[in-house]
Amino acid sequence: MNFCIALYIGLFTVATTKHVVVNWDISHITVNRDDYNLRRAIGVNGKLPIPPVEATVGDTLELNVHNGLDRPTTIHAHGLFQTNNTHMDGPAMITQCGIPPGDSFTYHYTLEQAGSMWLHGHLAHEISDGLRAAFIIHDKPGAELYHYDKDYLLTFEDWFSTEFADRMYHTINPKEEFPPPKSYAYGLVNGVNGNITQTLNFEPGKTYRIRLVNMGDINSFQFSLPGHEMYVIEADGEYSVPYFTDGIDIGPAQR
């Protein structure tokens, strides 16, 4: 009898987990993300913004990365504990060499924690030129600590009119004026100018989870819903002591 119960549990566990495969072909593209400036950026599969990656606790994620850039790159899964998996963490020249131009590398993640994470380049500030995407790990069905009617994701990015390499040159060159020209950033929400971001619809009597992910380079963002309080339940991918607030300051890399 005990053997049958154990076998049943084992089969159920296998059946409720998935092997998620995501393919990223990283390359330079030309885009207008802020509704003002057409510039070169780094995209995935020819697109920006990069679509969010979603999976569930217990899943394994296979991220196949092909480097179509003219320089090395790596990908960091920001927020994952990487228990016994640090060789997949991504910081260039710390846990791995950069993926050479024209070459490929596969990241393997066993997802043991739920929360709002993100994936981004971890070499030569490629994050600043667009190599960043939200990474959402959902609780297993029935294991959620909180129940809600709908789940919204809002990503925040600071977006400059020129590439990082150009801004760095003007910043460190003693012959250039300081601060550098065009050193301000536009604020992007869900990949586009915040003034034209799609409206969120709320219905009275329903509960909504709003995931805030600051994928910015150097700028913080403030978020509020005028006339409403929010109930904070998670910070940086970990369930927190819940509390009410009427506004949230979210710094770079915070979720």
Side-chain angles (χ1 to χ4, degrees), residues 9 21 45 93 101 134 136 141 144 209 252:
I9 294 174
V21 179
N45 302 332
M93 311 314 296
I136 306 303
E144 302 93 341
R209 177 171 184 165

Side-chain angles (χ1 to χ4, degrees), residues 110-159:
T110 299
L111 307 180
E112 301 173 336
Q113 61 198 105
S116 305
M117 320 295 178
W118 58 305
L119 299 162
H120 62 83
H122 214 292
L123 183 61
H125 284 269
E126 292 164 347
I127 177 179
S128 182
D129 291 325
L131 189 50
R132 48 196 179 190
F135 179 22
I136 306 303
I137 307 174
H138 299 279
D139 281 300
K140 290 183 179 181
E144 302 93 341
L145 292 182
Y146 300 92
H147 298 282
Y148 39 88
D149 298 294
K150 192 167 184 179
D151 193 338
Y152 281 124
L153 169 64
L154 294 177
T155 61
F156 302 94
E157 301 174 69
D158 45 12
W159 189 249

Side-chain angles (χ1 to χ4, degrees), residues 127-222:
I127 177 179
S128 182
D129 291 325
L131 189 50
R132 48 196 179 190
F135 179 22
I136 306 303
I137 307 174
H138 299 279
D139 281 300
K140 290 183 179 181
E144 302 93 341
L145 292 182
Y146 300 92
H147 298 282
Y148 39 88
D149 298 294
K150 192 167 184 179
D151 193 338
Y152 281 124
L153 169 64
L154 294 177
T155 61
F156 302 94
E157 301 174 69
D158 45 12
W159 189 249
F160 295 85
S161 59
T162 57
E163 293 181 57
F164 175 82
D166 295 330
R167 301 200 313 276
M168 178 61 77
Y169 169 79
H170 288 291
T171 299
I172 65 176
N173 188 340
K175 296 181 180 180
E176 296 285 332
E177 62 177 298
F178 190 87
K182 297 184 178 181
S183 57
Y184 56 88
Y186 294 87
L188 306 184
V189 181
N190 284 351
V192 298
N193 186 308
N195 293 319
I196 59 174
T197 301
Q198 184 177 0
T199 302
L200 302 182
N201 296 312
F202 300 99
E203 296 182 29
K206 290 191 175 182
T207 301
Y208 296 85
R209 177 171 184 165
I210 305 176
R211 299 176 185 269
L212 309 176
V213 182
N214 186 351
M215 305 191 303
D217 195 22
I218 59 174
N219 285 281
S220 296
F221 290 83
Q222 294 180 324

